[in-house]
Amino acid sequence: MGETYPSVKLNLKHPELFRDQAYINGQWVEAKFGKRFDIIDPGSDEKFATCPDMGAEDVNGAVKAAHDAFQVYRTFTPRMRADLLAKFDALIREHKDDIATILVYETGKPLAEAYGEIEYATSFTRWFTGEAERIQGTTFPAAMPGRRIFTIKQPLGVTAALVPWNFPIAMILRKASAALAAGCTMVAKPSPETPLSALTLAYLAEKAGYPKGVFNVMPTTLANTPGLSEALCKHPLVKKVSFTGSTRVGKILSAHCADSLKKLTLELGGNCPFLVFDDANLEQTCDALIPLKFRHAGQACITANRVYVQRGIYEKFANLLAEKTRQIKVGHGTDKSTTMGPLTVPGGLDKVAGQIEDAKKNGGTVLTGGNRINLNKGYFFEPTIITNATQSMKIAEEETFGPLLALFPFDTEEEAMKAANNTSMGLASYCFTKNVDRMWRLFENLEAGMIGMNSGNSSAAESPFGGIKDSGFGKESGKDVAINEYLITKTGTLTLEGQY
């Protein structure tokens, strides 16, 4: 199983959970070309593990294994699929301490956030355990006599999941849980930064009793990601692709899937607006904004990027927000006192620094933060607030993906609405006001797939998750809609004799 030294460094309670090989057709394997790549701890810039560098040449074997497994798995009854998913869920919860440790070293997030991600992730395994037995067809009254019309739902087949590094456990389980509940098999490609957590899930899926080939994991480098992803998207046996990541890459993958008209779910960029009106409860608003913005150092698609504050409360809100932001403790994720860890990739530091410099050149003021932190060679940056922000700044147009937020003043609801919608993206929007009429207008008029109303949390297993515009299409989670992404609807029309 390759090198085993990292399990000692990670100090896992169950070292067998550490897996550093690809998982294909129930086997732990190396890449065909035999290459491996390093996994880096963002909190120290140190290598702590390696993984096989799978390439396009490895895809066909993985997909064929998933296809062969589908011929068997599709015959499992809904109760059997639900029972397997329940066992999988129980094993993940049982081993949450070790999974959290792996998450900290892969992503950099604090240990408390790692536990939070696991709790969030297992909400999907639990939810789709129930959804497996709620799949149902329909009947329709026919217009013509002697005719009966009905539908059945059937699993699509082999599916592919292309997963980001910011929430690697939650994102893979949100996709895999729906697919497995529906009766599909899956080939998952985790991000190059976070393959180990996905491989741990593969190990636990095997222990839960999933037949070989039902769930497969292919780690790879950033260099090999485009070729491997294209091979998955273009493989004739892959019937569905689900991707979470940037809008730019989502459009490329959409083109790859177009020739074979594959079913596709895209959860893409955010650049989400956050509107604060003068009648808002400012304590409630700050307490919602701080975790929304600075969780995982601001590296989330649904985080608040542009904060619009009504002019009458602008200064008071800015000072309150700054006071609370200064209480954030930056450090390595394993330190129990840490409340914000490093960025996961070093390039994120340059992007945040660049947006801050651009804001200052265009009249912005750094209210708090603004600097890199020299700590153990990790990728740390101060949680930062920019005031006097304007639409001419990069931060108004670009998704930051870092611990930086900008406060934009506004006067009227109409002005705030126009500014909030002035983006190509439409994943989530947030609004804080105690005026119910205004709240309803915002709900209907903000151009986003999810609206947080006096709430900074728009994601739950029971709630449909997905955006509009350049933020993608399709839904993950929620009743019926998410599992339907992995099903086909087949219509039957029967003509009877001797009956009305």
Side-chain angles (χ1 to χ4, degrees), residues 6-91:
S7 63
V8 176
K9 179 179 179 181
L10 296 177
N11 196 29
L12 302 181
K13 296 178 180 178
H14 301 277
E16 68 275 10
L17 264 66
F18 177 84
R19 296 282 152 172
D20 63 354
Q21 289 180 299
Y23 185 70
I24 306 294
N25 200 28
Q27 303 295 317
W28 299 98
V29 299
E30 295 292 324
K32 281 189 176 181
F33 287 168
K35 295 182 180 179
R36 296 178 70 87
F37 65 97
D38 295 341
I39 315 300
I40 305 298
D41 169 18
S44 64
D45 193 35
E46 291 183 359
K47 163 188 169 182
F48 73 96
T50 65
C51 267
D53 187 6
M54 308 293 277
E57 64 279 355
D58 296 290
V59 167
N60 190 53
V63 173
K64 284 189 172 180
H67 178 69
D68 290 344
F70 175 66
Q71 307 312 313
V72 176
Y73 188 60
R74 66 182 300 184
T75 68
F76 282 29
T77 66
R79 174 62 58 85
M80 293 169 66
R81 297 198 299 269
D83 287 346
L84 280 172
L85 200 49
K87 291 177 184 176
F88 190 24
D89 173 85
L91 285 169

Coordinates of all heavy atoms in Angstrom, one line a residue, residues 6-91:
P6 N 3.1 8.2 7.1 CA 2.3 9.3 7.5 C 1.3 8.9 8.6 O 0.8 9.7 9.3 CB 1.5 9.7 6.2 CG 2.5 9.2 5.1 CD 3.0 8.0 5.6
S7 N 0.9 7.6 8.6 CA -0.1 7.2 9.6 C 0.4 7.4 11.0 O -0.3 7.7 12.0 CB -0.5 5.8 9.4 OG 0.6 4.9 9.6
V8 N 1.8 7.4 11.2 CA 2.4 7.6 12.5 C 2.3 9.1 12.8 O 2.0 9.5 13.9 CB 3.8 7.1 12.5 CG1 4.5 7.4 13.8 CG2 3.9 5.6 12.3
K9 N 2.7 9.9 11.8 CA 2.7 11.3 12.0 C 1.3 11.9 12.3 O 1.1 12.7 13.1 CB 3.3 12.1 10.8 CG 3.3 13.6 10.9 CD 3.9 14.2 9.6 CE 3.9 15.7 9.8 NZ 4.4 16.4 8.6
L10 N 0.3 11.3 11.6 CA -1.1 11.8 11.8 C -1.6 11.2 13.1 O -2.6 11.7 13.6 CB -1.9 11.3 10.6 CG -1.6 11.8 9.2 CD1 -2.5 11.2 8.2 CD2 -1.7 13.3 9.2
N11 N -1.0 10.2 13.7 CA -1.4 9.7 15.0 C -2.9 9.2 14.9 O -3.7 9.6 15.8 CB -1.2 10.7 16.1 CG -1.2 10.0 17.4 OD1 -0.9 8.9 17.6 ND2 -1.6 10.8 18.4
L12 N -3.3 8.5 13.9 CA -4.6 8.0 13.8 C -4.9 6.9 14.8 O -4.1 6.1 15.1 CB -4.9 7.5 12.3 CG -4.6 8.5 11.2 CD1 -4.9 7.8 9.9 CD2 -5.4 9.7 11.4
K13 N -6.2 6.9 15.3 CA -6.6 5.8 16.2 C -6.7 4.5 15.4 O -6.4 3.4 16.0 CB -7.9 6.2 16.8 CG -7.9 7.4 17.7 CD -9.3 7.7 18.2 CE -9.4 8.9 19.1 NZ -10.7 9.2 19.6
H14 N -7.0 4.6 14.2 CA -7.2 3.4 13.3 C -6.3 3.6 12.1 O -6.8 4.1 11.0 CB -8.6 3.1 12.9 CG -9.5 2.9 14.1 ND1 -9.6 1.7 14.8 CD2 -10.3 3.8 14.8 CE1 -10.5 1.8 15.8 NE2 -10.9 3.1 15.8
P15 N -5.0 3.3 12.1 CA -4.1 3.6 11.0 C -4.5 3.0 9.7 O -4.1 3.5 8.6 CB -2.8 3.0 11.5 CG -2.9 2.9 13.0 CD -4.3 2.7 13.3
E16 N -5.3 1.9 9.7 CA -5.8 1.3 8.5 C -6.7 2.2 7.7 O -6.9 1.9 6.5 CB -6.5 0.0 8.8 CG -7.9 0.1 9.5 CD -7.8 0.2 11.0 OE1 -6.7 0.4 11.5 OE2 -8.9 0.1 11.6
L17 N -7.2 3.3 8.2 CA -8.0 4.2 7.5 C -7.1 5.0 6.5 O -7.6 5.6 5.6 CB -8.7 5.2 8.4 CG -10.2 4.8 8.7 CD1 -10.2 3.5 9.6 CD2 -10.9 5.9 9.5
F18 N -5.8 5.1 6.8 CA -4.9 5.9 5.9 C -4.7 5.0 4.6 O -4.1 3.9 4.7 CB -3.6 6.2 6.6 CG -2.6 6.9 5.7 CD1 -2.7 8.2 5.5 CD2 -1.7 6.1 5.0 CE1 -1.8 8.9 4.6 CE2 -0.8 6.8 4.1 CZ -0.9 8.1 3.9
R19 N -5.1 5.6 3.5 CA -5.0 4.9 2.2 C -4.3 5.8 1.2 O -4.8 6.9 1.0 CB -6.4 4.4 1.7 CG -7.1 3.4 2.6 CD -6.5 2.0 2.4 NE -6.7 1.2 3.6 CZ -6.4 -0.1 3.6 NH1 -6.0 -0.7 2.5 NH2 -6.5 -0.7 4.7
D20 N -3.3 5.3 0.6 CA -2.5 6.2 -0.3 C -2.4 5.5 -1.7 O -1.4 5.8 -2.4 CB -1.1 6.5 0.2 CG -0.2 5.3 0.4 OD1 -0.7 4.2 0.2 OD2 0.9 5.5 0.8
Q21 N -3.4 4.7 -2.1 CA -3.4 4.1 -3.4 C -4.8 4.4 -4.0 O -5.8 4.6 -3.2 CB -3.2 2.6 -3.4 CG -1.7 2.3 -3.1 CD -1.5 0.8 -3.1 OE1 -2.1 0.0 -2.3 NE2 -0.7 0.3 -4.0
A22 N -4.9 4.3 -5.3 CA -6.3 4.5 -5.9 C -7.1 3.3 -5.6 O -6.6 2.2 -5.3 CB -6.1 4.6 -7.4
Y23 N -8.4 3.4 -5.7 CA -9.3 2.4 -5.4 C -10.2 2.1 -6.6 O -11.1 2.9 -6.9 CB -10.2 2.7 -4.2 CG -11.1 1.6 -3.7 CD1 -10.6 0.5 -3.1 CD2 -12.5 1.7 -3.9 CE1 -11.5 -0.5 -2.6 CE2 -13.4 0.7 -3.4 CZ -12.8 -0.4 -2.8 OH -13.7 -1.4 -2.4
I24 N -9.9 1.0 -7.3 CA -10.6 0.7 -8.5 C -11.1 -0.8 -8.5 O -10.3 -1.7 -8.2 CB -9.7 0.9 -9.8 CG1 -9.1 2.3 -9.8 CG2 -10.4 0.5 -11.1 CD1 -10.1 3.4 -10.0
N25 N -12.4 -1.0 -8.7 CA -12.9 -2.3 -8.8 C -12.6 -3.1 -7.5 O -12.3 -4.3 -7.6 CB -12.4 -3.1 -10.0 CG -13.3 -4.2 -10.4 OD1 -14.5 -4.3 -10.1 ND2 -12.7 -5.2 -11.0
G26 N -12.6 -2.5 -6.4 CA -12.4 -3.2 -5.1 C -10.9 -3.5 -4.8 O -10.6 -4.2 -3.8
Q27 N -10.0 -2.9 -5.6 CA -8.6 -3.1 -5.4 C -7.9 -1.8 -5.2 O -8.2 -0.8 -5.7 CB -8.0 -3.8 -6.7 CG -8.7 -5.1 -7.0 CD -8.5 -6.2 -6.0 OE1 -7.4 -6.4 -5.5 NE2 -9.5 -7.0 -5.7
W28 N -6.8 -1.9 -4.3 CA -5.9 -0.7 -4.1 C -4.8 -0.8 -5.1 O -4.0 -1.8 -5.0 CB -5.5 -0.7 -2.7 CG -6.6 -0.6 -1.7 CD1 -7.2 -1.6 -1.0 CD2 -7.3 0.6 -1.4 NE1 -8.2 -1.1 -0.2 CE2 -8.3 0.3 -0.4 CE3 -7.2 2.0 -1.7 CZ2 -9.2 1.2 0.1 CZ3 -8.1 2.9 -1.2 CH2 -9.1 2.5 -0.3
V29 N -4.7 0.1 -6.0 CA -3.8 0.0 -7.1 C -3.0 1.3 -7.3 O -3.3 2.4 -6.8 CB -4.6 -0.3 -8.4 CG1 -5.3 -1.6 -8.3 CG2 -5.6 0.8 -8.8
E30 N -1.9 1.1 -8.1 CA -1.1 2.3 -8.5 C -1.5 2.7 -9.9 O -2.3 2.1 -10.6 CB 0.4 1.9 -8.6 CG 1.0 1.5 -7.2 CD 1.1 2.7 -6.3 OE1 1.4 3.8 -6.8 OE2 0.9 2.6 -5.1
A31 N -1.0 3.9 -10.3 CA -1.3 4.4 -11.7 C -0.5 3.5 -12.7 O 0.5 2.9 -12.4 CB -0.8 5.8 -11.8
K32 N -1.1 3.4 -13.9 CA -0.4 2.6 -14.9 C 1.0 3.0 -15.2 O 1.9 2.2 -15.4 CB -1.2 2.7 -16.2 CG -2.5 1.8 -16.2 CD -3.1 1.7 -17.6 CE -4.3 0.7 -17.6 NZ -4.9 0.6 -18.9
F33 N 1.3 4.3 -15.1 CA 2.6 4.8 -15.4 C 3.5 4.8 -14.2 O 4.6 5.2 -14.2 CB 2.6 6.2 -16.0 CG 2.1 6.2 -17.4 CD1 1.8 7.4 -18.0 CD2 2.0 5.1 -18.2 CE1 1.3 7.5 -19.4 CE2 1.5 5.1 -19.5 CZ 1.2 6.3 -20.1
G34 N 2.9 4.4 -13.0 CA 3.7 4.3 -11.8 C 4.1 5.5 -11.1 O 4.8 5.5 -10.1
K35 N 3.6 6.7 -11.5 CA 4.0 7.9 -10.9 C 3.2 8.2 -9.6 O 2.0 7.8 -9.5 CB 3.9 9.1 -11.9 CG 4.8 9.0 -13.1 CD 4.7 10.2 -14.0 CE 5.6 10.2 -15.1 NZ 5.4 11.3 -16.1
R36 N 3.8 9.0 -8.7 CA 3.1 9.4 -7.5 C 3.3 10.9 -7.3 O 4.2 11.5 -7.9 CB 3.5 8.6 -6.3 CG 3.2 7.1 -6.3 CD 3.7 6.4 -5.1 NE 3.0 6.7 -3.9 CZ 1.9 6.1 -3.5 NH1 1.4 5.1 -4.2 NH2 1.3 6.4 -2.4
F37 N 2.5 11.5 -6.5 CA 2.7 12.9 -6.2 C 2.5 13.2 -4.7 O 2.0 12.4 -4.0 CB 1.6 13.8 -7.0 CG 0.2 13.6 -6.6 CD1 -0.5 14.4 -5.8 CD2 -0.5 12.5 -7.2 CE1 -1.8 14.2 -5.4 CE2 -1.9 12.3 -6.9 CZ -2.5 13.1 -6.0
D38 N 3.0 14.4 -4.3 CA 3.1 14.7 -2.9 C 1.8 15.4 -2.4 O 1.2 16.1 -3.2 CB 4.2 15.7 -2.6 CG 5.6 15.0 -2.8 OD1 5.7 13.8 -2.9 OD2 6.6 15.8 -3.0
I39 N 1.4 15.1 -1.2 CA 0.3 15.8 -0.5 C 0.9 16.7 0.5 O 1.7 16.3 1.4 CB -0.7 14.8 0.2 CG1 -1.0 13.7 -0.8 CG2 -1.9 15.6 0.6 CD1 -1.6 14.1 -2.0
I40 N 0.6 18.0 0.5 CA 1.2 19.0 1.3 C 0.3 19.5 2.4 O -0.9 19.8 2.2 CB 1.6 20.2 0.4 CG1 2.5 19.7 -0.7 CG2 2.4 21.3 1.3 CD1 3.8 19.1 -0.3
D41 N 0.8 19.7 3.6 CA 0.1 20.3 4.7 C 0.1 21.8 4.5 O 1.2 22.4 4.6 CB 0.8 19.9 6.0 CG 0.2 20.7 7.2 OD1 -0.9 21.3 7.1 OD2 0.9 20.7 8.3
P42 N -1.0 22.5 4.3 CA -1.0 23.9 4.1 C -0.6 24.7 5.3 O -0.2 25.9 5.2 CB -2.5 24.3 3.8 CG -3.1 23.0 3.4 CD -2.4 21.9 4.2
G43 N -0.6 24.1 6.5 CA -0.2 24.8 7.7 C 1.3 24.8 7.9 O 1.7 25.5 8.8
S44 N 2.0 24.0 7.1 CA 3.5 24.0 7.3 C 4.2 23.9 6.0 O 5.5 24.0 6.1 CB 3.9 22.8 8.2 OG 3.5 21.6 7.5
D45 N 3.5 23.8 4.9 CA 4.2 23.6 3.6 C 5.1 22.4 3.6 O 6.0 22.3 2.8 CB 5.0 24.9 3.2 CG 5.4 24.9 1.7 OD1 4.6 24.4 0.9 OD2 6.5 25.4 1.4
E46 N 4.7 21.4 4.3 CA 5.5 20.1 4.4 C 4.7 19.0 3.8 O 3.5 18.8 3.9 CB 5.8 19.8 5.8 CG 6.8 20.7 6.5 CD 7.2 20.3 7.9 OE1 6.6 19.2 8.4 OE2 8.0 21.0 8.6
K47 N 5.5 18.1 3.1 CA 4.9 16.9 2.5 C 4.6 15.9 3.7 O 5.4 15.8 4.6 CB 5.9 16.3 1.6 CG 5.7 14.8 1.2 CD 6.8 14.2 0.4 CE 6.7 12.7 0.3 NZ 7.9 12.1 -0.4
F48 N 3.4 15.3 3.6 CA 3.1 14.4 4.7 C 2.6 13.1 4.1 O 2.3 12.1 4.8 CB 2.1 14.9 5.7 CG 0.7 15.1 5.2 CD1 -0.3 14.1 5.5 CD2 0.3 16.2 4.5 CE1 -1.6 14.2 5.1 CE2 -1.0 16.3 4.1 CZ -1.9 15.3 4.3
A49 N 2.4 13.0 2.8 CA 1.9 11.7 2.1 C 2.1 11.8 0.6 O 2.5 12.9 0.1 CB 0.4 11.5 2.5
T50 N 1.9 10.7 0.0 CA 2.0 10.7 -1.5 C 0.8 9.8 -2.0 O 0.2 9.0 -1.3 CB 3.3 10.1 -2.1 OG1 3.4 8.7 -1.7 CG2 4.5 10.8 -1.6
C51 N 0.4 10.0 -3.3 CA -0.7 9.3 -3.9 C -0.3 9.0 -5.4 O 0.5 9.7 -6.0 CB -2.0 10.1 -3.8 SG -3.0 9.7 -2.4
P52 N -1.0 7.9 -5.9 CA -0.8 7.6 -7.3 C -1.3 8.8 -8.2 O -2.3 9.3 -8.0 CB -1.6 6.4 -7.6 CG -1.8 5.8 -6.2 CD -1.9 7.0 -5.3
D53 N -0.5 9.1 -9.3 CA -0.9 10.1 -10.2 C -1.6 9.4 -11.4 O -1.0 9.1 -12.4 CB 0.3 10.8 -10.7 CG 0.0 12.0 -11.6 OD1 -1.2 12.3 -11.7 OD2 0.9 12.7 -12.1
M54 N -2.9 9.2 -11.2 CA -3.7 8.5 -12.3 C -3.9 9.5 -13.5 O -4.0 10.7 -13.3 CB -5.1 8.1 -11.7 CG -5.1 7.3 -10.4 SD -4.4 5.7 -10.6 CE -5.8 4.8 -11.2
G55 N -4.0 8.9 -14.6 CA -4.1 9.7 -15.9 C -5.2 9.2 -16.7 O -6.0 8.3 -16.3
A56 N -5.4 9.8 -17.9 CA -6.4 9.4 -18.8 C -6.4 7.9 -19.2 O -7.4 7.3 -19.4 CB -6.4 10.2 -20.1
E57 N -5.2 7.4 -19.2 CA -5.0 6.0 -19.5 C -5.6 5.0 -18.5 O -5.8 3.8 -18.7 CB -3.5 5.6 -19.7 CG -2.6 5.8 -18.5 CD -2.2 7.2 -18.2 OE1 -2.6 8.1 -19.0 OE2 -1.6 7.5 -17.1
D58 N -5.8 5.5 -17.3 CA -6.4 4.7 -16.2 C -8.0 4.7 -16.2 O -8.6 4.0 -15.5 CB -5.9 5.2 -14.8 CG -4.4 5.0 -14.7 OD1 -4.0 3.9 -14.6 OD2 -3.7 6.0 -14.7
V59 N -8.5 5.6 -17.0 CA -10.0 5.9 -16.9 C -10.8 4.7 -17.4 O -11.8 4.3 -16.7 CB -10.4 7.2 -17.6 CG1 -11.9 7.3 -17.8 CG2 -9.8 8.4 -16.9
N60 N -10.4 4.1 -18.5 CA -11.2 3.1 -19.1 C -11.5 1.9 -18.2 O -12.6 1.4 -18.0 CB -10.6 2.6 -20.4 CG -11.6 1.7 -21.2 OD1 -12.7 2.1 -21.5 ND2 -11.1 0.5 -21.6
G61 N -10.4 1.5 -17.5 CA -10.5 0.4 -16.6 C -11.5 0.7 -15.4 O -12.3 -0.2 -15.0
A62 N -11.4 1.9 -14.9 CA -12.2 2.3 -13.8 C -13.7 2.4 -14.2 O -14.6 1.9 -13.5 CB -11.8 3.6 -13.2
V63 N -13.9 2.9 -15.4 CA -15.3 3.1 -15.9 C -15.9 1.7 -16.2 O -17.1 1.4 -15.9 CB -15.4 4.0 -17.1 CG1 -16.8 4.0 -17.7 CG2 -15.0 5.4 -16.7
K64 N -15.1 0.8 -16.8 CA -15.6 -0.5 -17.2 C -16.0 -1.3 -15.9 O -17.0 -2.0 -15.8 CB -14.6 -1.3 -18.0 CG -14.6 -0.8 -19.5 CD -13.7 -1.7 -20.3 CE -13.9 -1.4 -21.8 NZ -13.0 -2.3 -22.7
A65 N -15.1 -1.1 -14.8 CA -15.4 -1.8 -13.6 C -16.7 -1.3 -13.0 O -17.6 -2.1 -12.5 CB -14.3 -1.6 -12.6
A66 N -16.9 0.1 -13.1 CA -18.2 0.6 -12.5 C -19.4 0.2 -13.4 O -20.5 0.0 -12.8 CB -18.0 2.2 -12.6
H67 N -19.2 0.0 -14.7 CA -20.3 -0.4 -15.5 C -20.6 -1.9 -15.2 O -21.8 -2.2 -15.2 CB -19.8 -0.3 -17.0 CG -20.9 -0.8 -18.0 ND1 -22.1 -0.1 -18.2 CD2 -20.9 -1.8 -18.8 CE1 -22.8 -0.7 -19.1 NE2 -22.1 -1.8 -19.5
D68 N -19.6 -2.7 -15.1 CA -19.9 -4.1 -14.7 C -20.6 -4.2 -13.4 O -21.6 -5.0 -13.2 CB -18.6 -4.9 -14.7 CG -18.0 -5.1 -16.1 OD1 -18.7 -4.9 -17.1 OD2 -16.8 -5.5 -16.2
A69 N -20.2 -3.4 -12.4 CA -20.8 -3.4 -11.1 C -22.3 -2.9 -11.2 O -23.1 -3.4 -10.4 CB -20.0 -2.5 -10.2
F70 N -22.5 -2.0 -12.1 CA -23.9 -1.4 -12.2 C -24.9 -2.5 -12.6 O -26.0 -2.5 -12.2 CB -23.9 -0.3 -13.2 CG -25.2 0.3 -13.5 CD1 -26.0 0.9 -12.6 CD2 -25.8 0.1 -14.8 CE1 -27.2 1.4 -12.8 CE2 -27.1 0.6 -15.1 CZ -27.8 1.2 -14.1
Q71 N -24.4 -3.4 -13.4 CA -25.3 -4.5 -13.9 C -25.9 -5.3 -12.7 O -27.0 -5.8 -12.8 CB -24.6 -5.4 -14.9 CG -24.0 -4.7 -16.1 CD -24.9 -3.7 -16.7 OE1 -26.1 -4.0 -17.0 NE2 -24.4 -2.5 -17.0
V72 N -25.1 -5.4 -11.7 CA -25.5 -6.1 -10.4 C -26.2 -5.1 -9.5 O -27.3 -5.4 -9.0 CB -24.3 -6.8 -9.7 CG1 -24.8 -7.4 -8.4 CG2 -23.7 -7.8 -10.7
Y73 N -25.6 -4.0 -9.2 CA -26.1 -3.0 -8.2 C -27.5 -2.5 -8.6 O -28.3 -2.2 -7.7 CB -25.1 -1.9 -8.0 CG -25.4 -1.0 -6.9 CD1 -25.4 -1.5 -5.6 CD2 -25.6 0.4 -7.1 CE1 -25.7 -0.6 -4.5 CE2 -25.9 1.2 -6.0 CZ -26.0 0.7 -4.8 OH -26.2 1.6 -3.7
R74 N -27.7 -2.3 -9.9 CA -29.0 -1.8 -10.3 C -30.2 -2.7 -9.8 O -31.4 -2.3 -9.8 CB -29.1 -1.6 -11.8 CG -29.0 -2.9 -12.6 CD -29.0 -2.7 -14.1 NE -30.2 -2.0 -14.5 CZ -30.5 -1.7 -15.8 NH1 -29.6 -2.1 -16.8 NH2 -31.6 -1.1 -16.1
T75 N -29.9 -4.0 -9.6 CA -30.9 -5.0 -9.2 C -31.2 -4.9 -7.7 O -32.1 -5.6 -7.2 CB -30.5 -6.4 -9.6 OG1 -29.4 -6.8 -8.8 CG2 -30.2 -6.4 -11.1
F76 N -30.3 -4.2 -6.9 CA -30.5 -4.1 -5.5 C -31.9 -3.4 -5.2 O -32.1 -2.3 -5.8 CB -29.4 -3.4 -4.8 CG -28.1 -4.2 -4.6 CD1 -27.8 -5.2 -5.5 CD2 -27.3 -3.9 -3.6 CE1 -26.7 -6.0 -5.3 CE2 -26.1 -4.7 -3.4 CZ -25.8 -5.7 -4.3
T77 N -32.6 -3.9 -4.3 CA -33.9 -3.2 -3.9 C -33.6 -1.9 -3.2 O -32.5 -1.7 -2.7 CB -34.8 -4.1 -3.0 OG1 -34.1 -4.3 -1.8 CG2 -35.0 -5.5 -3.7
P78 N -34.5 -1.0 -3.2 CA -34.4 0.3 -2.5 C -34.0 0.0 -1.0 O -33.1 0.8 -0.4 CB -35.7 1.0 -2.6 CG -36.2 0.5 -3.9 CD -35.8 -0.9 -4.0
R79 N -34.6 -1.0 -0.4 CA -34.2 -1.3 1.0 C -32.8 -1.7 1.1 O -32.1 -1.3 2.1 CB -35.2 -2.4 1.5 CG -34.9 -2.9 3.0 CD -35.0 -1.8 4.0 NE -36.3 -1.2 4.1 CZ -37.3 -1.6 4.8 NH1 -37.2 -2.8 5.5 NH2 -38.4 -1.0 4.8
M80 N -32.3 -2.5 0.2 CA -30.9 -3.0 0.3 C -30.0 -1.8 0.1 O -29.0 -1.7 0.8 CB -30.7 -4.0 -0.8 CG -31.4 -5.3 -0.6 SD -31.3 -6.4 -2.1 CE -29.6 -6.8 -2.2
R81 N -30.3 -0.9 -0.8 CA -29.4 0.3 -1.0 C -29.5 1.2 0.2 O -28.4 1.8 0.6 CB -29.9 1.1 -2.3 CG -29.8 0.3 -3.6 CD -29.8 1.2 -4.8 NE -31.0 1.9 -4.9 CZ -32.1 1.5 -5.6 NH1 -32.1 0.3 -6.2 NH2 -33.2 2.3 -5.7
A82 N -30.6 1.3 0.8 CA -30.7 2.2 2.0 C -29.9 1.6 3.2 O -29.3 2.3 3.9 CB -32.2 2.3 2.4
D83 N -30.0 0.2 3.3 CA -29.2 -0.4 4.4 C -27.7 -0.2 4.2 O -27.0 0.0 5.2 CB -29.6 -1.9 4.4 CG -31.0 -2.2 5.0 OD1 -31.6 -1.3 5.6 OD2 -31.5 -3.3 4.8
L84 N -27.3 -0.3 3.0 CA -25.8 -0.1 2.7 C -25.4 1.3 3.0 O -24.4 1.5 3.7 CB -25.5 -0.4 1.2 CG -25.3 -1.9 0.8 CD1 -25.2 -2.0 -0.7 CD2 -24.1 -2.5 1.5
L85 N -26.2 2.2 2.6 CA -25.9 3.6 2.9 C -25.9 3.9 4.4 O -25.1 4.7 4.9 CB -26.9 4.5 2.1 CG -26.4 6.0 1.9 CD1 -25.0 6.1 1.3 CD2 -27.4 6.7 0.9
A86 N -26.8 3.3 5.1 CA -26.9 3.5 6.6 C -25.7 2.9 7.2 O -25.1 3.5 8.2 CB -28.2 2.8 7.1
K87 N -25.2 1.8 6.7 CA -23.9 1.2 7.3 C -22.7 2.1 7.0 O -21.9 2.3 7.8 CB -23.7 -0.2 6.7 CG -24.7 -1.2 7.2 CD -24.4 -2.6 6.5 CE -25.5 -3.6 6.9 NZ -25.3 -4.9 6.1
F88 N -22.7 2.6 5.8 CA -21.7 3.6 5.4 C -21.7 4.8 6.3 O -20.6 5.2 6.8 CB -21.9 4.0 3.9 CG -20.8 4.7 3.2 CD1 -19.5 4.7 3.7 CD2 -21.1 5.5 2.1 CE1 -18.5 5.4 3.0 CE2 -20.1 6.3 1.5 CZ -18.8 6.2 2.0
D89 N -22.8 5.4 6.5 CA -23.0 6.5 7.4 C -22.5 6.2 8.8 O -21.8 7.0 9.4 CB -24.5 6.9 7.4 CG -24.8 8.0 8.4 OD1 -24.7 9.2 8.1 OD2 -25.2 7.7 9.6
A90 N -22.9 5.1 9.3 CA -22.5 4.7 10.7 C -20.9 4.6 10.8 O -20.3 5.0 11.8 CB -23.1 3.4 11.1
L91 N -20.3 4.0 9.8 CA -18.9 3.9 9.8 C -18.1 5.2 9.7 O -17.1 5.4 10.4 CB -18.4 3.0 8.6 CG -18.7 1.5 8.8 CD1 -18.4 0.7 7.5 CD2 -17.8 0.9 10.0

